[in-house]
Amino acid sequence: MEELKNRIRKEGKVIDEEILKVDHFLNHQIDPILMCKIGEQFARIFKETEVTKVITLESSGIAPALMTGFIMKLPVIFARKKKPVTANEDMLSTEVYSFTKKVTNTISLEKSLLSPEDRVLVIDDFLANGAASLGLTKLIKTAGAKVAGIGIVIEKSFQEGRRRLEEAGYSVCSLARIASLKENHVSFLDE
Ligand code: 5GP
């Protein structure tokens, strides 16, 4: 998605060779117009997959997932990183190692939100080593539902995420694929 790549070129900050900061349009301040276009793009890509629900992980996945659900007219679930006080035994949970925060979170969602009839589209802001997306697919499968596909806003293709997700049998679609991060320079796979 050319507009997304241009925003990354202009506003992305390369923190080191593994981390990109996009706090001006995705991870802190959010550009709703860009998010809407991202939602339209995911809706186009996944229109044949008979999705019934969209799922993401709080908090940075919520904006692109919400816009995708809005365009596709589908409910959007966000898995939580902290157990709410209202949690009961009807929660599904799994452990996910956070690439940016270097901690393991137990992510969870209420069992009743998914049923075996659901085909669920996973949306996330970044793909690094795939832990967040794989954690979400595990929750979907534990609920007896099916994974319809995985949509990623920014994939760092030099990391292991895509390979791990494809090996697990999922189709991954990313709107921007980064080949490398060098001091103040982002290279994309298709340039
Ligand atoms: P993974 O679970 O694939 O290793 O990492 C994906 C998760 O870590 C995403 O949900 C995202 O929040 C965070 N993440 C991974 N790499 C980056 C990055 O370069 N920049 C930002 N802002 N977040 C990242």
Side-chain angles (χ1 to χ4, degrees):
M1 186 177 163
E2 212 46 48
E3 183 173 350
L4 172 64
K5 282 164 47 186
N6 283 336
R7 294 292 291 270
I8 295 170
R9 285 186 190 102
K10 275 198 204 122
E11 297 168 53
K13 292 204 169 60
V14 176
I15 303 298
D16 58 36
E17 290 191 355
E18 292 205 312
I19 306 248
L20 175 70
K21 195 169 164 181
V22 285
D23 278 7
H24 284 194
F25 61 87
L26 180 58
N27 290 142
H28 198 9
Q29 174 172 271
I30 297 170
D31 179 341
I33 296 165
L34 181 65
M35 288 310 121
C36 189
K37 292 178 182 168
I38 284 171
E40 286 167 350
Q41 188 73 2
F42 281 137
R44 264 194 293 275
I45 293 166
F46 292 104
K47 71 172 187 293
E48 310 291 354
T49 54
E50 293 170 26
V51 180
T52 61
K53 287 191 179 178
V54 177
I55 195 168
T56 190
L57 183 56
E58 67 175 352
S59 55
S60 292
I62 294 177
L66 180 66
M67 293 318 293
T68 305
F70 178 72
I71 305 288
M72 297 180 92
K73 298 190 171 47
L74 296 172
V76 178
I77 302 169
F78 63 90
R80 297 179 192 267
K81 285 181 183 160
K82 285 210 173 77
K83 251 193 173 167
V85 284
T86 50
N88 53 32
E89 67 283 356
D90 294 328
M91 299 292 285
L92 302 174
S93 57
T94 188
E95 299 212 321
V96 165
Y97 178 74
S98 164
F99 176 75
T100 43
K101 303 209 168 82
K102 312 285 180 222
V103 293
T104 298
N105 291 306
T106 301
I107 67 161
S108 57
L109 66 87
E110 212 169 295
K111 218 190 261 175
S112 65
L113 294 175
L114 290 178
S115 74
E117 289 76 50
D118 279 316
R119 294 178 52 82
V120 188
L121 172 60
V122 174
I123 297 287
D124 205 6
D125 60 337
F126 271 90
L127 177 62
N129 292 316
S133 296
L134 280 170
L136 290 170
T137 64
K138 200 167 163 193
L139 294 181
I140 296 165
K141 286 197 307 196
T142 311
K146 289 201 171 53
V147 178
I150 298 176
I152 300 290
V153 180
I154 304 174
E155 170 187 324
K156 291 178 293 173
S157 306
F158 54 88
Q159 292 176 303
E160 288 298 298
R162 173 176 284 269
R163 188 185 59 75
R164 291 179 68 198
L165 293 173
E166 286 179 344
E167 269 177 19
Y170 303 118
S171 90
V172 183
C173 211
S174 307
L175 303 186
R177 300 185 67 191
I178 295 177
S180 69
L181 295 172
K182 299 266 156 57
E183 209 176 310
N184 283 326
H185 187 75
V186 181
S187 305
F188 294 95
L189 269 194
D190 53 355
E191 63 182 10

